[in-house]
Amino acid sequence: GAGVSQSPSNKVTEKGKDVELRCDPISGHTALYWYRQRLGQGLEFLIYFQGNSAPDKSGLPSDRFSAERTGESVSTLTIQRTQQEDSAVYLCASSLEASRAYEQYFGPGTRLTVT
Amino acid sequence: AQSVTQLDSQVPVFEEAPVELRCNYSSSVSVYLFWYVQYPNQGLQLLLKYLSGSTLVKGINGFEAEFNKSQTSFHLRKPSVHISDTAEYFCAVRPPDSNQFYFGTGTSLTVIP
């Protein structure tokens, strides 16, 4: 079956512009995560969605970052007024929380470059 | 908050030699432990996980890891590596009462022919 997909795969934007990144999770997966991976660093948790519960936004680095998810489907991560330090690979993962005990399936990522 | 330390950023090893990739975490309480692998130009995929029970966990592609609670470690091992094992390896922990995964900075394994 189809895995987690993300679009675009690459995004180059000018400092100060807004960007929107998209994640399509595996069908039926109730949990969805966003991570940021800066060059040479580990994955940094950003936000977590679980079904219809309130999302865990504790990892969002500033109020320029926001994310939405409609039900158990597509999620979008929006970065407003981008800064050069936002340059990173943004990874999305989904999980069938109910049964596979936290196993996450990752998408290929979106490489964001802010010039 | 948890922290995860992968002591070796790069590990070169000859083909068919054994390898150990080290992972230590900060918590003294129970956690779930994971190793993920990222092959070149691919997404992360789960290699193995420890939730409870036997401290020796076997994963895909001949990898295994051993949970050591007293040393708060979860080192990854393979007795004989192949060229195809060249990849980035990430250790991760998750407290049972949390939604968050905490990842290490990764270890780049390069298998030399």
Side-chain angles (χ1 to χ4, degrees), chain A residues 33 37 42 48 58 100 102, chain B residues 32 90 94 99-101 104:
Chain A
Y33 298 77
Q37 185 179 20
Y48 164 79
S58 60
R100 291 300 297 274
Y102 310 118
Chain B
Y32 299 135
F90 292 93
R94 175 176 175 166
N99 297 327
Q100 292 196 22
F101 285 73

Side-chain angles (χ1 to χ4, degrees), chain A residues 24-73:
Chain A
D24 283 89
I26 293 172
S27 177
H29 280 195
T30 60
L32 187 147
Y33 298 77
W34 282 99
Y35 294 90
R36 177 170 68 179
Q37 185 179 20
R38 288 177 164 144
L39 188 63
Q41 299 187 22
L43 277 69
E44 177 186 359
F45 168 81
L46 296 178
I47 188 169
Y48 164 79
F49 295 91
Q50 169 60 53
N52 294 318
S53 302
D56 178 350
K57 303 181 180 181
S58 60
L60 293 178
S62 77
D63 58 7
R64 296 187 296 105
F65 288 72
S66 63
E68 301 290 333
R69 187 182 187 194
T70 306
E72 296 182 357
S73 60

Side-chain angles (χ1 to χ4, degrees), chain B residues 43-109:
Chain B
L44 278 80
Q45 49 185 285
L46 183 68
L47 202 54
L48 49 78
K49 62 186 176 187
Y50 171 80
L51 304 180
S52 65
S54 173
T55 58
L56 184 63
V57 179
K58 294 189 183 298
I60 61 172
N61 300 337
F63 283 92
E64 63 182 31
E66 185 157 20
F67 168 55
N68 187 317
K69 187 175 182 179
S70 63
Q71 296 186 2
T72 59
S73 68
F74 190 55
H75 300 333
L76 181 70
R77 301 186 186 103
K78 186 169 182 178
S80 176
V81 296
H82 301 287
I83 298 291
S84 59
D85 293 324
T86 293
E88 190 85 15
Y89 292 80
F90 292 93
C91 180
V93 304
R94 175 176 175 166
D97 59 349
S98 170
N99 297 327
Q100 292 196 22
F101 285 73
Y102 299 86
F103 282 80
T105 52
T107 297
S108 177
L109 174 65

